[in-house]
Amino acid sequence: MGEQTQTQTITEPQTPSLSQPNSDSTTLSTNPPVDIPPNPSNPSKIPIRPQKIRKLSSTTSPQSTNPKPADSSQSVVTSNGKVTITKNRRRSASQLTRVLPQVIKPLSANGEIENALRHLRLADPLLCSLIDTLPLPAFDSHQLPFLALCKSILYQQLAYKAGTSIYTRFVSLCGSEDAVCPDVVLSLSAQQLKQIGISGRKASYLYDLANKYKTGILADDTVVKMDDRSLFTMLSMVKGIGSWSVHMFMIFSLHRPDVLPVSDLGVRKGVQMLYGLEELPRPSQMEQLCEKWRPYRSIGAWYMWRFIEGKGTPATAAAAMEGGSVQPLQQIEPQQQPEQQHQLQLLEPIDGIGSLGACIWGQ
């Protein structure tokens, strides 16, 4: 009987009550059950269960909790009663700025060339003399992405005249430039392509590109809308298309403003001469040296091509200025040593000569 009474007395204080504070908990556990009247004269013994009171107050009175400073959190009460808290509002704002899609204007848009030249003059004074003496950059090519990528493959590791001859025969075999599409390319046999001068390896590259278009992995609409990083990743999946081909395609076909072809020998030589470097800069050095050109590194690269033209033979430079296009690097440097060619192939094993891409797209 005594054990039952004692158990009942111990379980009673577990019911929280703010109006009837209990006395010391040790008295309840050792003395026999007695009626203990409230003792308001001793206020020091009132908060005997701070955890219970804290839990009760947080449940019944949300306003009693200590909110975080307004500059680091924000609470939003929805219609269903749930509370959504956004922590660190300042950091979230900076993250939001990075996540928001950037509107990329092509270099062929009205006023973009002027904006690029204005930025480059202020960012790199060494470019001012080039901008003042050389013609304005022009990006007038508007070929469909699939046709431009086929053209890039056909020109790989060829001189400009040889590539132009093969490309002309390829277009004639397809019917016209407007007729060059994945279905037509896949309908051509390897023997047909070989007869017009396309090697078996390049034929496999064309087939792989056409198959990726046929299966929907790539499409002209999605290629145009992709950001630079995604586009580089997707196009690099195509056999025969390396970083150099992607960079040339992005600059001269899509007119992307901020592309730096770090593996292009012409651009590297231009940077070497512009900054008076003793050695040809490596791709990692190119990123550092040309960082100030952002977000118009494509225009900076264009001026590097034109810059090395002016250092070539008078006939080559005159032909380049007259044709309004950047000449292939082997025409600018006819005395190029075999070891230099081998070094270039190590950097870009598939795509070959550096500044030839500017000629491919008619710049």
Side-chain angles (χ1 to χ4, degrees), residues 145-211:
F146 180 78
L147 174 62
L149 291 171
C150 290
K151 192 174 184 180
S152 173
I153 292 174
L154 293 176
Y155 272 83
Q156 289 173 6
Q157 296 180 341
L158 294 177
Y160 176 66
K161 291 183 179 180
T164 302
S165 177
I166 292 178
Y167 174 74
T168 302
R169 293 196 293 265
F170 171 76
V171 170
S172 177
L173 184 62
C174 293
S176 65
E177 285 191 336
D178 295 336
V180 178
C181 64
D183 289 334
V184 172
V185 172
L186 292 174
S187 66
L188 300 175
S189 65
Q191 183 63 27
Q192 288 178 293
L193 296 177
K194 184 178 180 180
Q195 289 176 353
I196 62 174
I198 300 177
S199 64
R201 185 174 64 173
K202 285 189 178 181
S204 67
Y205 298 162
L206 293 174
Y207 293 148
D208 187 65
L209 174 65
N211 279 319

Side-chain angles (χ1 to χ4, degrees), residues 133-153:
T133 56
L134 293 174
L136 292 178
F139 295 87
D140 301 326
S141 175
H142 295 284
Q143 292 179 338
L144 293 175
F146 180 78
L147 174 62
L149 291 171
C150 290
K151 192 174 184 180
S152 173
I153 292 174

Side-chain angles (χ1 to χ4, degrees), residues 270-320:
V271 170
Q272 179 187 12
M273 292 189 297
L274 182 68
Y275 295 110
L277 304 178
E278 295 182 358
E279 298 179 355
L280 201 66
R282 303 294 298 175
S284 58
Q285 293 175 299
M286 292 283 294
E287 293 283 356
Q288 298 175 359
L289 292 170
C290 304
E291 178 67 23
K292 62 177 74 70
W293 296 352
R294 285 182 182 272
Y296 294 105
R297 293 182 297 175
S298 299
I299 299 296
W302 188 90
Y303 275 106
M304 293 302 98
W305 283 313
R306 304 307 296 263
F307 184 32
I308 64 171
E309 286 175 2
K311 301 298 181 180
T313 60
T316 303

Side-chain angles (χ1 to χ4, degrees), residues 15-22 38-40 46 56:
T15 303
S17 176
L18 296 178
S19 60
Q20 293 183 357
N22 297 323
N39 186 11
I46 291 178
L56 180 62

Side-chain angles (χ1 to χ4, degrees), residues 21 39-48:
N39 186 11
S41 62
N42 191 354
S44 62
K45 296 184 178 182
I46 291 178
I48 61 172

